[in-house]
């Protein structure tokens, strides 16, 4: 039977098969690999920036290049690394954790990846041609508008946004529908792994937050291209409108990056503490609450803009309140860790690194929530320190732990444990040494986004120290990169469940066969693999000559009906190409969009027109009921 | 003296003092919380035990942690709101000096209104204030968003085109305080600094009186300075700069009527001494690449003359 | 091990071959996919309407330009056409759920024709509008909102057209009846979202003094 399944679910060989790939495991890996390549690029940009800042008036990098570097660094890290890597982890792990064979919309996941690549290529093509954006990743108007940013630099930024947000929105829809409808029978919504809950909340956040940046960047592109006045105060527009719209997106965005990291901690802890995460309900409620409250704090990025004090105070309150659910999650994890029979492998080390690092960022976040305090340190290196502490501590550390944790599942090989430990310590020490001094620099008056500073400022020594330590941080990350490349070929072979973990992805071989589960499991608890094997069941009766899966009900995951998932297809690539061409041409002429529509119609027909063996109407299949 | 930075925790005025106080409260709380969390982590992680656990008991402790967190945050909220209360405008502010601050790429234009239009003082990049008096700053931007920030006096306030705003500062002791633009505003955002010079009231009034005077008339200039003035009037300088009392009246660049009285050049980037002034005038782009001041190609003697003239504009 | 008491016990072994091969409504993954897409577009529209209100709050710069009566009438007629298309859409969905092919495609055809008529009137309206997107901020917001809704309508009409082509000419499978329902979701959204937009963009200026 496994041969039949393999034949049905395998994509074939060769370039054509690679381009037509729709398996979530492959697309997930592509997302993660591509995202880490952008991470490396962003890291190099950061090292160049730090080199420039290591001495006053260093002359390594001039103002224009520096401004392009920090804009590209921020845009790369936020749009081309942080969100896509979480898209990748979700794409890879969620179906496996749910006992599913693929995402609900396989071709949409392929489209999601291709359109992301288009966005990344656009940004870096721009950067290499000196047409890359230079007005900051946040692109405040009027600096980013037609009057003060001539040329195509900020149009590259605006369209890069379009591509990456389309990608994320597509992944979000896919994840939600998969989580709602393709769970293994018996995996009621309160039995889902906590990482799946995190991705569910994050996916909903993407659905409601990303439209804001798409609208904002489109309005900016229109102001620049066809003379609209959204942000032209002389004709009734408003620069604060940009800020509100952008931050309404961008604050949830950082939680979109951060919550999957928290979910990964919940996923990693059981294997290394031999306990289920304590307080499942608390963690779920905390995740959901964070998702909601994240939409109510955005004005804390605008405290210096002079909005009414009462409004500012409300946002101080909400920004303080959002600490509570995250704090509760941390307390639940501490309770899980407390005097547990720990196994100090690299994944757990990175989780512990999260605690000592993220909490610093969380506390400086509490400081920044206070308007009086924020008015001094806003737009200084203090904020640079804060944001890196929360994003690297809160998302990248768990992510690196996740890399060491799931690499065996994805590739069938273990990463080198000694290298992992060295990488961890260098990353932990290097990160903290690089970024902690920035708090002091901010308090001593050093703003952000400055390409140089005066010799008499007194900022020299801390900047130099930070730069040297950035090298240590870079080395730590590099060791993990090398570890991945070397272990891919030569790592110790991994069995299905090398960590003796509790969730369903560890029930399949490493790497998973193209059909994931030979028989879709049925589930009776929150930790299926820690149950008695005799209490586990399977689903029988699904076709092996079609990509058939069972669809379950939303809350209880009771089996509802069968459906066929889409197979390999070239149309997602074409659709991404049409999207790419359309929006890139629209940087130069408004006819780009009608052109995209015109090209898009045949692509949509190709995508959706039925092909292959039909299931005829009112099929005469044994026991089938008409709908 | 040209301070090149300001320390937010060394307040020289009531606003900054209140902000620093809020900082210290939050910092103390943050430090305690961090130490507690790390201690809990170490205690829990360095003494392994059995896997089985009394979940309800642990969850009660989690709840306690949550409640403590909530109460701490409420306390911090109160500290924050009270700390920010009525910073702008100051309660009971009397005898307020009003100054208009116009942010421009990449310098600060300052206007001190007088009782009549010809009493107005226009200067750049150096804000003089009397000690002990509240100063109302009217913040306007001519181009992109800038942010006015003097760490030792107050938090920052953005200058947003289309949204004129105001803020108050007050220096309670004499001194020279560094300011910096704190909102990315383009190529030379990094070199858009300024100084706030706080001096006793009488000294301030003297400064104001001097600033009101036009430039010295031609007959009071030395020969070299007179040659320099010719170069100024006939060259590209007059296309951007104003010198009161002469025909140079353009307002695209800083007002130079009293440029020699200022401590710094190029928006706080250079000390105002002859060699820097010469370098700035000859090739501003070598100091602030991308700024709006073009190089002024002149022979060495011409440069000397021009600089001598500028030094006479005290 | 705390599993909530009301969670059903796990089936030990489950024979799926007895399950139906298709389902409608919220039981179907596609339905959720379209609903989420609608949520994304609804958020986009809501943001544009909120932007209109935000910019309108800048009273001194705002210019509430009243639209002429013929444009208002045209807009109301378009709305009427949209509302009229809801009934046939619902009928086509009902027929699709019952598996009645001819009824499904007839009603869908009626709905699509009404939608196409509305788009034709919209083309006329485009020529009558007295301001452009670059006239002022109000013009920009108006055209952006108008453009977004038009894009939604065009997508809806094209999608219905594709489904109709399939229902008339292709090999019709059970799941295509589900596509009818998915298309209907998008259609209802196109109608609903235009109600607040019509009120704000077209009729709100009437409340302002000239």
């Amino acid at each position: 039977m496994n041969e039949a399944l393999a034949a049905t679910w395998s994509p074939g060989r060769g370039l054509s098969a690679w381009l037509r790939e729709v398996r979530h495991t492959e697309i997930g890996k592509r997302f993660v690999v591509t995202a880490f390549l952008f991470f490396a690029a962003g890291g190099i940009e950061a090292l160049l920036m730090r080199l420039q800042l290591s001495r006053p008036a260093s002359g390594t990098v001039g103002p224009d290049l520096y401004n392009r570097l920090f804009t590209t660094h921020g845009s790369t890290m936020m749009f081309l690394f942080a969100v896509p890597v979480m898209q990748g982890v979700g794409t890879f792990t969620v179906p496996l954790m749910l006992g599913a064979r693929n995402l609900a919309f396989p071709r949409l996941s392929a489209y999601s990846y291709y359109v992301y690549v288009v966005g990344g290529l656009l940004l870096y093509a721009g950067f290499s041609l000196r047409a890359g954006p230079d007005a900051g990743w946040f692109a405040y108007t009027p600096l980013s508008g037609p009057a003060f940013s001539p040329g195509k630099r900020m149009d590259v930024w605006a369209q890069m946004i379009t591509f990456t947000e389309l990608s994320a929105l597509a992944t979000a829809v896919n994840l939600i529908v998969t989580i709602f409808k393709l769970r293994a029978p018996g995996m009621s919504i309160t039995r889902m792994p906590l990482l799946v809950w995190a991705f569910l909340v994050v996916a909903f956040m993407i659905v409601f937050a990303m439209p804001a940046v798409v609208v904002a960047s489109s309005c900016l592109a229109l102001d620049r291209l066809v003379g609209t006045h959204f942000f032209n105060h002389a004709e009734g527009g408003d620069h604060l409108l940009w800020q509100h719209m952008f931050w309404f997106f961008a604050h949830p965005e950082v939680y979109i990056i951060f919550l999957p990291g928290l979910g990964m901690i919940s996923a990693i802890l059981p294997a290394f503490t031999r306990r289920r995460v304590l307080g499942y309900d608390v963690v779920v409620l905390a995740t959901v609450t964070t998702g909601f409250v994240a939409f109510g704090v955005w004005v804390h990025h605008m405290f210096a803009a002079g909005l009414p004090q009462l409004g500012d105070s409300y946002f101080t309150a909400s920004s303080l309140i959002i600490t509570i659910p995250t704090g509760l999650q941390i307390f639940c994890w501490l309770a899980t860790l407390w005097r547990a029979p720990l196994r100090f492998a690299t994944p757990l080390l990175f989780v512990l690194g999260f605690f000592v690092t993220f909490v610093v960022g969380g506390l400086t976040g509490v400081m920044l929530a206070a308007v009086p305090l924020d008015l001094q340190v806003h737009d200084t290196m203090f904020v640079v320190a804060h944001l890196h502490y929360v994003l690297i501590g809160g998302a990248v550390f768990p992510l690196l732990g996740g890399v060491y944790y799931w690499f065996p599942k994805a590739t069938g090989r273990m990463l080198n444990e000694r290298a992992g430990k060295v990488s961890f310590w260098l990353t932990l020490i290097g990160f903290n040494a690089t970024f902690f001094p920035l708090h002091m620099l901010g308090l001593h008056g050093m703003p952000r986004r400055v390409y140089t500073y005066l010799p008499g400022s007194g900022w020299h020594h801390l900047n130099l120290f930070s730069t040297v330590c950035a090298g240590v941080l870079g080395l730590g990350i590099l060791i993990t990169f090398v570890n991945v490349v070397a272990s891919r070929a030569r790592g110790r072979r991994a069995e299905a469940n090398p960590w003796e973990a509790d969730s369903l992805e560890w029930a399949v071989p490493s790497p998973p066969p193209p059909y994931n589960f030979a028989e879709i499991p049925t589930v009776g608890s929150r930790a299926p693999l820690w149950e008695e094997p005799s209490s586990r069941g399977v689903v029988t009766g699904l076709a092996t000559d079609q990509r058939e899966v069972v669809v379950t009900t939303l809350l209880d995951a009771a089996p509802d009906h069968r459906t066929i998932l889409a197979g390999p297809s070239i149309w997602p690539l074409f659709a991404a190409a049409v999207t790419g061409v359309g929006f890139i041409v629209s940087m130069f002429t408004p006819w780009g969009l009608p052109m995209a529509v015109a090209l898009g119609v045949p692509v949509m027909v190709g995508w959706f027109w039925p092909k292959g063996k039909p299931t005829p109407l009112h099929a005469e299949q044994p026991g089938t009921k008409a709908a | 003296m040209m301070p090149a930075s300001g320390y937010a925790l060394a307040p020289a005025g009531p606003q900054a003092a209140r902000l620093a106080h809020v900082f210290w409260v939050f910092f103390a709380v943050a430090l305690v919380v961090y130490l507690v969390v790390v201690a809990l982590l170490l205690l829990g992680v360095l003494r392994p035990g059995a896997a089985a656990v009394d979940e309800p008991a642990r969850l009660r402790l989690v709840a306690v942690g949550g409640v403590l967190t909530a109460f701490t945050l409420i306390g911090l909220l109160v500290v924050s709101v009270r700390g920010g209360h009525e910073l702008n405008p100051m309660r009971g502010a009397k005898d307020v000096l009003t100054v208009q601050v116009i942010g421009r790429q990449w310098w600060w234009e300052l206007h001190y209104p007088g009782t009549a239009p010809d009493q107005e003082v226009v200067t750049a990049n150096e804000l003089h204030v009397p000690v002990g008096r509240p100063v109302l700053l009217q913040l306007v931007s001519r181009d992109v968003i800038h942010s006015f920030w003097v760490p030792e006096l107050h938090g920052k306030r953005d200058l947003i085109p289309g949204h004129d705003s105001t803020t108050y500062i007050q220096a309670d002791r004499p001194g020279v305080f560094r300011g910096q633009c704190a909102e990315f505003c383009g190529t030379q955002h990094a070199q858009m600094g300024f100084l706030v010079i706080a001096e006793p009231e009488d000294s301030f009034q003297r400064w104001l009186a001097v600033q009101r005077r036009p430039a010295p008339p031609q007959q009071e200039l030395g020969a070299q300075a007179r040659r320099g003035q010719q170069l100024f009037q006939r060259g590209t300088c007059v296309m951007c700069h104003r010198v009161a009392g002469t025909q140079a009246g353009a307002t695209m660049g800083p007002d130079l009527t009293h440029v020699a009285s200022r401590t710094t050049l190029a928006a706080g980037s250079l000390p105002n001494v002859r060699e820097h002034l010469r370098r700035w005038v000859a090739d501003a782009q070598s100091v602030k690449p991308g700024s709006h001041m073009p190089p002024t190609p002149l022979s060495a003697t011409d440069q000397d003359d021009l600089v001598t003239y500028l030094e006479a504009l005290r | 091990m705390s599993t909530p008491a009301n969670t059903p016990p796990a089936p030990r072994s489950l024979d799926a071959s007895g399950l139906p091969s298709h389902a409608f409504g919220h039981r179907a993954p596609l339905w959720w996919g379209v609903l989420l897409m609608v949520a994304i577009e609804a958020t986009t529209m809501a943001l544009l309407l909120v932007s209109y209100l935000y910019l309108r709050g800048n009273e001194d710069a705002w210019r509430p330009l009243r639209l002429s009566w013929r444009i208002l009438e045209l807009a109301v007629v378009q709305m009427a056409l949209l509302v009229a298309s809801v009934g046939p859409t619902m009928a086509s969905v009902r027929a699709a759920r019952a598996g009645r092919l001819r009824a499904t495609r007839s009603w869908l055809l009626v709905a699509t024709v009404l939608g196409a008529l509305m788009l034709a009137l919209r083309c006329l309206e485009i020529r009558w509008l007295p301001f452009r997107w670059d006239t002022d901020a109000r013009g920009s917001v108006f055209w952006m909102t108008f453009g977004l809704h038009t894009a939604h309508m065009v997508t809806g009409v094209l999608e219905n057209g594709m489904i109709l082509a399939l229902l008339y000419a292709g090999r019709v499978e059970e799941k295509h009846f589900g596509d009818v329902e998915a298309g209907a979701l998008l259609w209802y959204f196109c109608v609903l979202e235009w109600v607040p937009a019509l009120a704000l963009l077209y009729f709100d200026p009437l409340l302002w003094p000239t």
Side-chain angles (χ1 to χ4, degrees), chain A residues 105 169 173 176-177 180-181 185-186 188 190-191 204 207-208 211-212 215 218-219 222 226-230 234-238 240-241 244-245 248 276 522-526 531 534-542 550-551 554 556 559-562 601 604-605 608-612 614-615 617-619 622-625 627, chain C residues 1-4 6-24 26-34 36-37 39-41 43-45 47-48 50-51 54-55 58 61-63 97-99 101 132-138 140-141 144 154 158 162 165-166 169-177:
Chain A
F105 304 122
L169 285 165
V173 171
I176 292 174
V177 180
F180 274 3
K181 300 304 300 177
S188 65
T190 49
R191 286 184 184 148
F204 271 105
V207 163
F208 291 110
V215 171
S218 302
C219 291
L222 288 172
V226 294
T228 49
H229 299 288
F230 293 103
E235 291 285 357
D238 194 329
L240 286 178
L241 179 65
H244 280 296
M245 256 205 281
F248 181 78
R276 301 209 315 226
T522 63
V523 161
S525 82
R526 287 174 180 164
E531 303 305 310
S534 57
S535 71
R536 285 187 256 155
V538 293
V539 175
T540 58
L542 289 174
V550 62
V551 179
L554 204 161
D556 293 333
D560 186 75
H561 63 279
R562 293 169 289 123
V601 169
M604 286 293 106
V605 171
F608 286 110
W609 201 262
K611 13 179 167 345
T615 336
L617 282 177
H618 311 300
T624 306
K625 306 190 297 269
Chain C
M1 309 240 173
S2 54
T3 47
N6 52 359
T7 310
R12 292 283 232 93
S13 204
L14 172 73
D15 183 1
S17 57
L19 295 172
S21 59
H22 181 68
F24 281 100
H26 65 86
R27 293 166 61 197
L30 180 63
W31 187 91
W32 284 99
V34 176
L36 288 166
M37 204 186 76
I40 292 167
E41 296 302 314
T43 306
T44 307
M45 175 59 81
L47 285 165
L48 286 175
V50 168
S51 299
Y54 184 86
L55 291 178
N58 294 337
W62 196 248
R63 289 170 229 163
R97 283 191 171 225
L101 178 61
R132 285 161 43 115
W133 53 90
D134 57 0
T135 306
D136 56 14
R138 175 257 164 83
S140 304
V141 176
M144 183 93 158
V154 167
L158 283 177
M162 231 177 76
L166 193 62
R171 297 180 310 245
V172 182
E173 305 173 23
E174 214 170 310
K175 66 173 180 154
H176 297 132
F177 287 123

Side-chain angles (χ1 to χ4, degrees), chain C residues 73-113:
Chain C
E73 282 161 16
L74 193 57
V76 169
V77 169
Q78 288 176 47
M79 190 79 232
L81 282 172
L82 280 183
V83 170
S85 71
V86 170
T89 308
M90 291 172 77
S92 81
V93 170
R94 244 196 323 272
R97 283 191 171 225
R100 301 195 323 260
L101 178 61
R102 299 215 352 242
T104 303
R105 62 193 188 194
S106 307
W107 282 117
L108 188 58
L109 183 62
V110 171
T112 309
V113 164

Side-chain angles (χ1 to χ4, degrees), chain A residues 50 87 134 140 174 186 201 215 222 225 304 311 371 380 386 431-432 468 492 506 521 533 575 585 599:
Chain A
R50 277 255 54 95
Q87 287 175 251
D134 59 354
Y140 272 12
N174 227 336
V201 169
V215 171
L222 288 172
L225 186 67
V371 175
T380 68
H386 161 76
F431 169 79
N432 278 284
V468 170
R492 182 167 59 84
W506 304 103
V585 168
L599 289 173

Side-chain angles (χ1 to χ4, degrees), chain A residues 414-471:
Chain A
M414 305 295 290
L415 282 170
N416 183 291
E417 183 61 23
R418 197 132 44 101
K421 292 194 160 88
V422 171
S423 168
F424 164 72
W425 285 109
L426 286 176
T427 305
L428 179 72
I429 293 170
F431 169 79
N432 278 284
T434 304
F435 286 95
F436 198 82
L438 301 189
H439 294 113
M440 275 94 94
L441 281 170
L443 287 166
H444 279 273
M446 185 171 178
R448 28 180 333 189
R449 302 164 183 147
V450 291
Y451 77 99
T452 190
Y453 51 92
L454 291 173
S457 60
W459 301 333
H460 179 197
H461 296 106
L462 285 178
N463 268 300
L464 182 60
F465 178 77
S466 171
T467 301
V468 170
C469 298

